């Protein structure tokens, strides 16, 4: 054979045509496809059954293990949660490998053929070749005559083979029986241990229910949020069998652990209390009373909130015509009836704040509104009462639920709108007699710290009741009027007795009005003859008084002369 010249072209190499998809059961004749498909279905069912039974056994083992350990060791909630997550992870991992994977990787026709060939070596490669040639023939490749010959030969060999022995059920049946026995034993044990089983299942579901013991521990204080450096009291109650003493276990963030013996209180033998001073670090605590163990609770010291900026803006009642007044925190002077707006800022976020009043008759607390960025601002308004206020404070609570301690009480000097002052210059006597036709001259003055609104002459008589006569207020609060009884309706006659006074009111429409009055005075109406007799008696009384004065003056002069004579020395 002569060598090919270098420039000669090589003949094209023939390419084998390959199937673009795997062989499926529909590509194979029924004589081969039916037994192979039955074998594949049996294989999938066996693997799924083995996975499900294994999953049941693992679930029973994990569940019983967690319940038994929890009963023996009384796991806290965090440990039970971790165990629950681990159990779920194990179950999910096993389910993916033993249940989901077998379903996804089910045997095809080629896999079933290979399994048969591994079981019976005498088949050689004829079965898999028949399957492949059947697929090629269906795809239009290969020799149909050769494929038919191999298929007929393979079908004849399959007819007499015990195909089911390739995938036996016996191991799966044994595992299923074991799973049934495990479930039955777990159910029997759970029923026999009721109500403990239900309690343990609730705890496995992260309930805080305590384990059954002769002594049950009921916490009174729970999780504690306290002010840094404050004293804290831990308290719990024992039910059932009451122990003579118990213990309190404390664990702090710095690594410090304390075990404290606690005894029941003298007043209540079921109550156990322990006080700890100056708590600075976070930690946990737990009561052990008898055989009972209480839940683990946290201790969280937090900084107390503090008001850094406080202003009090006082808006006076409109009738006073006074400008608003802003005062800083400290001793406050407040006017009764004013509206006081409080604006404050804290060093920490707040959840609540209020105004608390002190005094003889303190008002109810007034809530303040939390506002501003970071919820650090407080704003609110209250009305200054008319009396009984001597101080106020601003208790606040942080967003963490910490209430400020040692809240400052700001002293309050309460000023009020004084009632008008009424003074009379005439008449000066408390009892006056008057002829009905005569005139009683009333002269006086009214004054107020702001303004007098009205002034009235008020008189009462059994015949007329109470009568009010408005008076004109002149410059500087001067008032004057003339009262003539005979001109009143009905006419007042001699013998009548009248009680009268002057009354003035101010413009206080908030806590008032303030009312000022003179003393009640009496006006007696007499006849003309009686008045003359009264005046004559008054003149006679005046004359006697003058004679007495003159006589006393004479006596004084005589005594003075005698004293001078005695003091002068004899020559």
């Amino acid at each position: 054979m002569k060598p090919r010249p270098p420039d000669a072209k090589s003949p094209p190499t023939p390419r084998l045509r390959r199937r673009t998809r795997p062989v499926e059961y529909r590509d194979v004749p029924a004589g081969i496809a039916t037994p192979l498909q039955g074998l594949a279905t049996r294989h999938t069912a066996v693997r799924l059954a083995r996975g499900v039974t294994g999953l049941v056994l693992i679930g029973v083992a994990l569940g019983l293990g967690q319940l038994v350990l929890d009963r023996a060791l009384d796991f806290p909630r965090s440990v039970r949660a971790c165990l629950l997550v681990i159990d779920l992870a194990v179950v999910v991992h096993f389910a993916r490998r033993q249940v989901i994977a077998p379903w996804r990787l089910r045997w095809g026709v080629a896999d079933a053929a290979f399994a048969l060939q591994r079981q019976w070596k005498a088949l050689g490669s004829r079965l898999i070749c028949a399957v492949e040639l059947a697929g090629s023939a269906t795809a239009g490749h290969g020799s149909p005559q050769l494929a038919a010959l191999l298929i007929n030969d393979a079908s004849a060999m399959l007819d007499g083979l015990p195909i089911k022995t390739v995938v036996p059920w016996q191991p799966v049946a044994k595992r299923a029986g074991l799973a049934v026995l495990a479930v039955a034993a777990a159910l029997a044990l759970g029923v026999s241990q009721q109500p403990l089983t239900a309690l343990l299942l609730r705890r496995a579901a992260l309930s805080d229910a305590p384990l059954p013991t002769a002594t049950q521990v009921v916490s009174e204080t729970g999780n504690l949020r306290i002010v840094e450096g404050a004293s804290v009291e831990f308290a719990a109650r024992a039910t059932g069998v009451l122990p003579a003493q118990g213990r309190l276990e404390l664990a702090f963030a710095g690594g410090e652990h304390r075990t404290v013996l606690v005894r029941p209180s003298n007043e209540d033998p079921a109550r156990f209390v322990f006080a700890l001073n100056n708590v600075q670090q976070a930690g946990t605590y737990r009561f052990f009373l008898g055989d009972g163990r209480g839940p683990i609770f946290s201790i969280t010291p937090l900084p107390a909130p503090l008001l850094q900026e406080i202003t009090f803006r006082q808006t006076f009642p409109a009738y006073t015509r006074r400008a608003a007044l802003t005062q800083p925190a400290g001793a406050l002077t407040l006017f009764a009836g004013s509206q006081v707006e409080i604006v404050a800022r804290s060093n920490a976020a707040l959840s609540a704040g209020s105004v608390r009043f002190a005094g003889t008759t303190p008002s109810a607390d007034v809530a303040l509104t939390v506002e501003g960025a970071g919820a650090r601002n407080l704003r609110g308004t209250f009305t200054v009462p008319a009396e009984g206020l001597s101080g106020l404070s601003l208790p606040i609570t942080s967003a963490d639920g910490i209430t400020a301690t040692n809240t400052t009480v700001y002293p309050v000097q309460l000023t009020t709108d004084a009632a008008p002052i009424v003074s009379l210059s005439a008449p000066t006597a408390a009892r006056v007699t008057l002829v009905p036709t005569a005139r009683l001259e009333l002269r006086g003055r009214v004054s107020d710290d702001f303004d007098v609104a009205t002034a009235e002459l008020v008189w009462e008589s059994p015949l007329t009741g109470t009568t009010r006569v408005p008076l004109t207020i002149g410059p500087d609060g001067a008032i004057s009027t003339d009262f003539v009884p005979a001109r009143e309706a009905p006419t007042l006659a001699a013998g009548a007795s009248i009680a009268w006074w002057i009354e003035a009111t101010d413009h206080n429409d908030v806590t008032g009005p303030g009312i000022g009055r003179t003393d009640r005075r009496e006006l007696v109406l007499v006849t003309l003859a009686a008045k003359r007799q009264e005046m004559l008696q008054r003149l006679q009384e005046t004359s006697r008084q003058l004679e007495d004065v003159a006589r006393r003056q004479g006596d004084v002069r005589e005594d003075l002369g005698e004293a001078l004579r005695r003091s002068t020395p004899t020559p």
Side-chain angles (χ1 to χ4, degrees), residues 147-187:
L149 181 62
L150 284 174
I151 290 170
N152 292 333
D153 187 21
S155 299
M157 296 180 68
L158 290 177
D159 288 341
L161 291 177
I163 295 177
K164 294 182 179 180
T165 59
V166 177
V167 183
W169 273 101
Q170 289 78 7
V172 177
K174 293 180 180 179
R175 179 180 289 190
L178 183 60
V180 171
L181 289 176
V183 171
L187 291 176

Side-chain angles (χ1 to χ4, degrees), residues 371-404:
E371 59 185 19
R376 296 174 58 186
N377 296 335
L378 285 175
R379 185 183 298 272
T381 304
F382 71 91
T383 302
V384 181
E387 58 184 3
L389 177 62
S390 61
L392 61 85
S393 60
L394 303 176
I396 55 176
T397 302
S398 69
D400 295 320
I402 300 299
T403 300

Side-chain angles (χ1 to χ4, degrees), residues 9-33:
K9 293 184 178 179
S10 300
T13 302
R15 295 182 179 179
L16 296 177
R17 295 186 178 181
R18 297 180 180 178
R19 293 180 289 106
T20 59
R21 62 179 178 83
V23 180
E24 297 181 0
Y25 289 106
R26 65 172 180 265
D27 299 330
V28 181
I32 297 177

Side-chain angles (χ1 to χ4, degrees), residues 234 248-253 257 282-286 296-299:
F234 308 98
L248 174 66
E249 291 192 355
L250 300 166
F252 294 98
H257 293 266
T284 60
Y285 74 95
R286 189 180 194 184
I296 298 176
F297 292 106
S298 62
I299 310 167

